[in-house]
Amino acid sequence: MYKKTATLISAMLLISSVGFASPLNDYSAGKTAIDLTVRSNADINWVDGGASADLTGKSGNLDWSITTGLGNKWAIQFRQFNAESKIGLWDDAWKTKSQEVNVLYQLDKNVSAFVGSFRASNNNITTGLNTGTKSTAQFGLIGSTKIAENTALYGIIGLGSGIRNLEVGLSYEVARNLELNLSYRSLKVTGIPYGPGWGPNSEYTAKGLGYGLTYKF
């Protein structure tokens, strides 16, 4: 299913011909886009060896990113995704966090390729247990296409060793340089190491709908 989804989004991005709305499509030096997205239902599936649990997301999970143009079709981007569950497994609550630093290159006016670093952690916020941190490289595509007046469809696909990072959304321009977004994100990370003596590696999948704003200047 995920391979089909990634293939479909990739094809959509590559055949698009109109650059519009989110994400940033002007990589002139200094051009910047700031994204804030609340994912009130970012549910977490947590796996540790033989144990697993489906945890309900806590209200107010936050995605945010900043992308800045460097000129000559290049840009740099920082993204962070925080997903926190309600109390569930063993009467504990869990928090996952991922951070990305990506270098983007504009293939055409609405499609960019990127390569960067990805870092993820999975923490028990009730007990303070940190299961460890996973760091790896990722690569992918970002793009958008206009589907109606002031409205665009956009997608982000990131892949790497033990990570699958997908987002698809709708963006509506409400004012000059300001957009409203509705999106769905699915992030799966495997091979997150525990600390010494804590057993096998863990993994998680965090996914859910989000709504937010993009401001460009």
Side-chain angles (χ1 to χ4, degrees):
M1 173 179 152
Y2 290 103
K3 288 183 179 179
K4 291 181 179 179
T5 302
T7 300
L8 179 61
I9 297 174
S10 298
M12 177 272 293
L13 296 177
L14 290 172
I15 64 175
S16 299
S17 60
V18 180
F20 187 83
S22 294
L24 183 70
N25 53 24
D26 183 353
Y27 288 1
S28 301
K31 290 290 186 178
T32 300
I34 298 174
D35 302 285
L36 295 174
T37 302
V38 175
R39 298 194 189 279
S40 58
N41 64 337
D43 296 336
I44 303 171
N45 174 257
W46 177 88
V47 179
D48 168 30
S52 65
D54 291 314
L55 305 175
T56 301
K58 183 179 179 181
S59 298
N61 290 297
L62 181 66
D63 262 0
W64 65 275
S65 71
I66 180 168
T67 307
T68 299
L70 301 176
N72 296 318
K73 299 186 177 182
W74 293 94
I76 191 167
Q77 178 188 71
F78 182 87
R79 299 178 77 200
Q80 181 161 316
F81 181 29
N82 303 299
E84 183 177 329
S85 79
K86 297 178 181 178
I87 293 176
L89 181 65
W90 305 319
D91 293 325
D92 294 339
W94 289 79
K95 183 175 183 178
T96 72
K97 181 166 69 174
S98 69
Q99 297 172 319
E100 307 170 40
V101 179
N102 299 314
V103 176
L104 285 58
Y105 181 76
Q106 197 167 48
L107 300 177
D108 64 27
K109 58 186 177 181
N110 70 314
V111 180
S112 295
F114 69 86
V115 63
S117 64
F118 180 96
R119 185 175 184 270
S121 62
N122 190 23
N123 306 308
N124 185 320
I125 59 176
T126 304
T127 65
L129 169 65
N130 185 334
T131 66
T133 300
K134 176 185 177 73
S135 297
T136 187
Q138 72 165 346
F139 63 94
L141 292 172
I142 302 175
S144 63
T145 184
K146 183 176 180 180
I147 59 173
E149 187 67 26
N150 296 334
T151 305
L153 174 68
Y154 66 90
I156 303 172
I157 306 167
L159 300 171
S161 176
I163 62 170
R164 184 193 63 228
N165 195 359
L166 304 177
E167 182 175 347
V168 62
L170 289 172
S171 179
Y172 182 77
E173 189 175 40
V174 294
R176 181 179 175 85
N177 299 330
L178 183 64
E179 298 151 15
L180 297 178
N181 302 313
L182 176 66
S183 64
Y184 178 84
R185 185 169 185 181
S186 176
L187 172 63
K188 182 173 183 179
V189 184
T190 63
I192 303 173
Y194 268 158
W198 284 106
N201 292 347
S202 66
E203 66 180 68
Y204 69 81
T205 302
K207 57 187 178 181
L209 290 171
Y211 52 91
L213 296 170
T214 297
Y215 176 61
K216 297 177 179 178
F217 57 93

